[in-house]
Amino acid sequence: MPYSYASHLKCPVCGNEYDLHEIHQLCECGSPLLVEYDLERLQQEVDIQLLQERKPDLWRYHELLPVASEDNVVTLGEGMTPLLNMPALGAHYGIDHLYMKDESLIPTGSFKARGAAVGISRAKELGVEEFAMPTNGNAGAAWALYAARAGMRATIVMPQDAPMITRSEVALAGASLYLVNGLISDAGKMVAEKVQRQGVYDASTLKEPYRIEGKKTMGLEIAEQLGWTMPDVILYPTGGGVGLIGIHKAMQELKAIGWITGSLPRLVAVQAEGCAPIVKAWQEKKERSEFWEESTTVAFGINVPKALGDFLVLRALYETDGVAIAVSDQELLQVQQEVAAMEGAFVCPEGAATFAAAKRLAVEGWIHPGESVVVLNTGAGIKYPDTVQTEAPILEIGDSIL
Amino acid sequence: MPYSYASHLKCPVCGNEYDLHEIHQLCECGSPLLVEYDLERLQQEVDIQLLQERKPDLWRYHELLPVASEDNVVTLGEGMTPLLNMPALGAHYGIDHLYMKDESLIPTGSFKARGAAVGISRAKELGVEEFAMPTNGNAGAAWALYAARAGMRATIVMPQDAPMITRSEVALAGASLYLVNGLISDAGKMVAEKVQRQGVYDASTLKEPYRIEGKKTMGLEIAEQLGWTMPDVILYPTGGGVGLIGIHKAMQELKAIGWITGSLPRLVAVQAEGCAPIVKAWQEKKERSEFWEESTTVAFGINVPKALGDFLVLRALYETDGVAIAVSDQELLQVQQEVAAMEGAFVCPEGAATFAAAKRLAVEGWIHPGESVVVLNTGAGIKYPDTVQTEAPILEIGDSIL
């Protein structure tokens, strides 16, 4: 039995197909490419029971991943993050079955590790020795560290406002780091020039087809952790949108294989009021979003003014009867406190935004009584020290706390 | 079959026994108390195969943990952290089989979560509603967050030099936070006064017997992850020493049950040159350590001038033919870089100290060719932003990176 059942690359816009054995970035038509699998053969040959004996990381789903040989797997133990029950918070928000998929328990403290693990493994398999990418911080940190483990050279360009700690991660990994007095879109232009002029591999979001396959595993894990059933609703903080597209792809593949049945969960794209291009497009029932001018939010990971995969995000929302919703920075910072004080979890601002959205959707009645709701916390709150203000008395030796 | 096979508390110094159903802190003789289990009955009733079907967290070992009822378990999904092969670093250091047990993939980003999960669960089971503790930061953060999830009140006292992010964790969890212009030992005196005068539960290191049981699970996991065999050497960064004592206890219990056989691993206590009381005591073949005056190190978690459980640490070293070794801050900061650049892992300074010790023990020939060596990385490097200095060019929009 093969390690991977990936069969080819396919363009979701024009339908063009590409060979898996060659390096491909975007389709000729400019669209991202997606990995297709031989799901019929997989269904016949792979027994779901096999999974039980495998290690608790995302490589347990290797048949549904694009890496052809186990020898090329570059891993730091990523995946199978906890799916936690949040009963106190659920009661407070009026959500009967509230779960958090906690992506803080992953190398580099962010779900970006999934994309990096699969993306770097596949790049290694294809013989890539050097790549460049723009990032809002966490993806660059993850790709730089996995690149170090793979022995690959990396150039990372990030806004100077990106979380400080992600600079340290990139630098410590030995990658080339550049800071831009601008947004990820400005960083993207610099990377594009380097790719075009120097021929290095372009690891930008959705410009290589494999990162999404890593992020897909969040959907696979949610299904397995719920005993191969689906929740009613999944909420996802949406910047580039690859996580949400990946979860949608996972659900479709699982359904095609027959490992899950019934309706797919209603997907919710959560954005910040200061950067909500997907929300605007969804409200206007459009197929694509427009560039969001002067975007700003403390949830830095979702400060993406225009996503290359916007049409795939919107498609996933329309197909699953989902919604797109924006929350304010004030709301999300308050919710970050609620989640810690009621459930003991220090979520990242993007995760907090997603809890805030769940709260609002429950109040508005869009989430119904009895429904099960999974909120994605995409990273560790400890990577964002500036979102929390603390005041504590400073005592001298011998003072009393009575 | 019972959820836990814990039978009673026992003093490792005077042998006094105590009832598990009551709250106990130290033995009458002043020593920490340890949890004893009915290992004979466990051996007869519990099949090791059962474990395979359980979730990948530390509660999979519930028979060997002190919580009597599953209803009292307070969990954030902690445990079953990766045991990673480090082939490039191993080759560089001359260690044939080098593994890292990576405790960065755990709630709060530090192995302290294990102690907090089991300690808080057990405190809840005993009816505790309020506790106080001194901390070097990470333990206080973990206990405050798990307390929030359990609905318990916490008072946390830490040195003002403790990692900044741990203040945010404690504050966000809603605990009472105090900073001291001094060391953890000074914080400890303030907590002792509060405990004595106000009768709150004392959650100080080894003053309650359950935290160590949580940390013990690192040893259980290493054994299971190596297919129920033991490595030749385990290195541990040693401040209060509970992790090392716990791993030793785990190995002894597994051997008594018969799940592992053969010699126990040689245990290595790693300290910083600026705070090395255990190393000094070990060199002098003493049973206990002396207070280390004016201690200082960037590896803040192991800045513990005098550990209550020092005699248990030393006992574990003597019994397993282990050693105690101190490394300099300069050495550990350089090794932190090596680990990231060669293996893609951003380890904490305490973890880096432990890799530095492994490197030195290999050079000195204490680690032999062919041996397997497990290094504990006790937490996420991202909690210590100040240990990494980065310099990166800052570009304006439209600049080039060619």
Side-chain angles (χ1 to χ4, degrees):
Chain A
M1 273 165 31
Y3 189 70
S4 167
Y5 283 74
S7 54
H8 59 283
L9 297 171
K10 189 173 176 183
C11 174
V13 173
C14 73
N16 248 351
E17 297 191 354
Y18 296 87
D19 191 330
L20 267 183
H21 299 89
E22 301 156 0
I23 294 179
H24 292 287
Q25 309 243 229
L26 293 178
C27 179
E28 283 167 18
C29 80
S31 162
L33 294 171
L34 299 177
V35 181
E36 297 278 318
Y37 295 83
D38 187 347
L39 298 177
E40 275 186 37
R41 186 176 162 205
L42 193 157
Q43 183 176 30
Q44 286 165 5
E45 295 181 354
V46 182
D47 184 350
I48 200 169
Q49 298 297 331
L50 272 180
L51 290 175
Q52 213 175 10
E53 290 160 30
R54 293 184 182 166
K55 278 208 286 189
D57 62 40
L58 63 79
W59 299 100
R60 65 198 277 108
Y61 309 110
H62 58 76
E63 289 94 344
L64 275 169
L65 292 172
V67 179
S69 165
E70 189 169 6
D71 296 341
N72 293 317
V73 168
V74 180
T75 180
L76 290 164
E78 58 288 335
M80 222 15 137
T81 56
L83 184 71
L84 293 174
N85 200 353
M86 309 291 263
L89 202 67
H92 186 56
Y93 290 176
I95 299 174
D96 289 332
H97 307 285
L98 179 63
Y99 300 92
M100 170 174 70
K101 178 71 173 164
D102 190 6
E103 294 289 297
S104 57
L105 304 200
I106 205 160
T108 77
S110 147
F111 80 111
K112 302 284 186 182
R114 295 180 188 266
V118 175
I120 290 282
S121 298
R122 188 61 188 144
K124 182 181 167 199
E125 191 158 77
L126 289 166
V128 170
E129 292 174 357
E130 183 178 0
F131 66 86
M133 66 187 292
T135 175
N136 267 344
N138 280 318
W143 280 73
L145 284 159
Y146 280 86
R149 183 133 163 114
M152 218 175 274
R153 289 193 306 283
T155 298
I156 309 289
V157 191
M158 65 171 72
Q160 64 176 348
D161 293 337
M164 284 291 287
I165 192 68
T166 61
R167 294 185 195 181
S168 305
E169 295 176 272
V170 173
L172 208 61
S176 300
L177 170 66
Y178 297 90
L179 306 173
V180 184
N181 181 18
L183 294 176
I184 188 173
S185 41
D186 303 305
K189 286 172 196 156
M190 295 174 184
V191 167
E193 187 195 29
K194 185 176 171 76
V195 166
Q196 196 183 11
R197 299 276 289 276
Q198 299 181 338
V200 301
Y201 188 66
D202 191 345
S204 307
T205 303
L206 287 173
K207 288 193 181 168
E208 58 77 52
Y210 304 110
R211 179 200 291 215
I212 184 178
E213 297 301 302
K215 296 189 180 173
K216 183 178 83 176
T217 58
M218 289 185 284
L220 302 177
E221 291 177 15
I222 290 169
E224 183 177 357
Q225 287 172 316
L226 291 174
W228 300 109
T229 64
M230 287 287 92
D232 296 297
V233 176
I234 298 178
L235 296 100
Y236 201 88
T238 305
V242 181
L244 190 138
I245 303 167
I247 290 173
H248 188 227
K249 188 169 188 283
M251 301 297 179
Q252 290 176 312
E253 288 172 359
L254 288 177
K255 214 175 155 181
I257 304 168
W259 288 0
I260 59 168
T261 53
S263 317
L264 296 189
R266 309 195 307 275
L267 296 176
V268 179
V270 179
Q271 299 202 299
E273 286 181 356
C275 182
I278 300 283
V279 176
K280 182 166 181 287
W282 179 81
Q283 285 169 341
E284 296 168 354
K285 305 271 175 280
K286 294 212 171 129
E287 278 180 35
R288 291 183 188 260
S289 66
E290 290 159 38
F291 191 93
W292 188 274
E293 298 292 342
E294 295 183 24
S295 63
T296 177
T297 169
V298 294
F300 203 78
I302 52 175
N303 189 347
V304 179
K306 163 74 179 161
L308 191 59
D310 54 0
F311 68 104
L312 293 170
V313 174
L314 288 159
R315 218 183 260 185
L317 302 186
Y318 297 136
E319 283 183 22
T320 64
D321 293 321
V323 294
I325 180 171
V327 300
S328 70
D329 281 5
Q330 196 190 345
E331 258 178 298
L332 74 88
L333 289 173
Q334 194 213 316
V335 164
Q336 189 185 37
Q337 236 168 347
E338 278 175 7
V339 178
M342 299 188 74
E343 298 286 6
F346 185 1
V347 301
C348 64
E350 298 83 8
T354 310
F355 277 104
K359 184 178 183 175
R360 218 191 299 153
L361 290 173
V363 168
E364 291 173 2
W366 190 84
I367 291 172
H368 306 294
E371 288 195 323
S372 60
V373 175
V374 173
V375 167
L376 261 293
N377 174 42
T378 44
I382 53 176
K383 294 192 87 171
Y384 303 76
D386 299 339
T387 57
V388 185
Q389 306 304 321
T390 61
E391 280 178 34
I394 298 185
L395 310 175
E396 295 300 321
I397 294 172
D399 282 356
S400 168
I401 56 170
L402 297 185
Chain B
M1 275 166 28
Y3 189 72
S4 168
Y5 284 76
S7 53
H8 59 281
L9 297 170
K10 189 173 175 182
C11 174
V13 173
C14 73
N16 248 352
E17 297 190 354
Y18 296 87
D19 190 330
L20 268 184
H21 299 89
E22 300 156 0
I23 294 179
H24 292 288
Q25 308 244 227
L26 293 177
C27 178
E28 283 167 18
C29 80
S31 163
L33 295 171
L34 299 177
V35 181
E36 298 278 318
Y37 294 82
D38 188 346
L39 298 177
E40 275 187 39
R41 188 177 161 205
L42 192 158
Q43 183 175 30
Q44 286 165 3
E45 295 180 353
V46 181
D47 184 350
I48 201 171
Q49 297 298 332
L50 272 180
L51 290 175
Q52 213 175 9
E53 291 160 31
R54 293 183 181 167
K55 280 209 284 191
D57 61 40
L58 62 79
W59 300 100
R60 64 198 279 108
Y61 308 110
H62 59 76
E63 289 94 345
L64 275 170
L65 292 173
V67 179
S69 165
E70 190 171 5
D71 297 341
N72 293 317
V73 168
V74 179
T75 180
L76 290 164
E78 58 287 334
M80 221 18 134
T81 56
L83 184 71
L84 292 174
N85 200 354
M86 308 291 261
L89 202 67
H92 186 57
Y93 291 176
I95 299 174
D96 289 332
H97 307 285
L98 179 62
Y99 300 92
M100 170 173 70
K101 178 72 172 164
D102 190 6
E103 293 289 295
S104 57
L105 304 200
I106 205 161
T108 77
S110 148
F111 80 110
K112 301 284 185 181
R114 294 182 188 266
V118 175
I120 290 280
S121 297
R122 188 59 188 143
K124 182 183 167 197
E125 190 158 79
L126 290 166
V128 171
E129 291 173 357
E130 184 178 0
F131 66 85
M133 67 187 292
T135 176
N136 268 343
N138 280 320
W143 280 72
L145 284 160
Y146 280 86
R149 183 133 162 115
M152 218 175 272
R153 288 192 304 283
T155 297
I156 310 290
V157 191
M158 65 171 72
Q160 64 176 349
D161 292 338
M164 283 291 286
I165 191 68
T166 62
R167 294 186 196 180
S168 305
E169 294 176 273
V170 172
L172 209 61
S176 300
L177 170 65
Y178 297 89
L179 305 173
V180 184
N181 181 16
L183 293 177
I184 188 173
S185 41
D186 303 304
K189 286 172 196 155
M190 295 175 184
V191 167
E193 188 195 29
K194 184 175 171 76
V195 166
Q196 197 183 10
R197 297 277 287 278
Q198 298 181 339
V200 299
Y201 188 67
D202 192 345
S204 307
T205 303
L206 287 173
K207 288 194 180 167
E208 60 75 53
Y210 304 110
R211 178 199 294 218
I212 184 178
E213 297 301 303
K215 296 189 178 174
K216 184 178 82 175
T217 57
M218 288 185 284
L220 302 177
E221 291 177 16
I222 290 169
E224 183 176 358
Q225 287 172 316
L226 291 174
W228 299 110
T229 65
M230 288 287 90
D232 296 297
V233 176
I234 298 178
L235 296 101
Y236 202 88
T238 305
V242 181
L244 191 138
I245 303 167
I247 289 173
H248 188 229
K249 189 169 188 283
M251 302 294 179
Q252 290 176 313
E253 288 172 358
L254 288 177
K255 214 176 155 176
I257 303 169
W259 288 359
I260 60 168
T261 54
S263 316
L264 296 189
R266 308 192 313 274
L267 296 176
V268 179
V270 179
Q271 299 202 298
E273 286 181 357
C275 183
I278 300 284
V279 177
K280 182 166 182 286
W282 178 81
Q283 285 168 341
E284 295 168 354
K285 305 272 174 282
K286 293 210 172 132
E287 277 180 36
R288 290 183 188 261
S289 66
E290 291 159 39
F291 189 94
W292 189 275
E293 298 292 342
E294 295 182 25
S295 64
T296 177
T297 168
V298 294
F300 202 78
I302 53 176
N303 189 346
V304 179
K306 164 74 179 161
L308 191 58
D310 55 0
F311 68 104
L312 294 170
V313 173
L314 287 159
R315 218 183 259 184
L317 301 185
Y318 297 136
E319 283 183 22
T320 63
D321 293 322
V323 295
I325 180 170
V327 300
S328 70
D329 281 3
Q330 197 191 342
E331 258 178 300
L332 74 89
L333 289 174
Q334 194 213 316
V335 164
Q336 189 185 37
Q337 237 168 346
E338 278 175 8
V339 179
M342 299 189 73
E343 297 287 5
F346 184 2
V347 301
C348 65
E350 299 82 8
T354 311
F355 277 104
K359 183 178 184 175
R360 216 188 301 152
L361 290 173
V363 169
E364 291 172 2
W366 189 85
I367 292 171
H368 307 294
E371 288 195 323
S372 59
V373 175
V374 173
V375 167
L376 262 292
N377 174 41
T378 44
I382 53 174
K383 295 194 87 170
Y384 303 77
D386 299 340
T387 57
V388 184
Q389 306 304 319
T390 62
E391 279 177 35
I394 298 185
L395 310 174
E396 295 301 321
I397 295 172
D399 281 357
S400 168
I401 56 170
L402 296 184

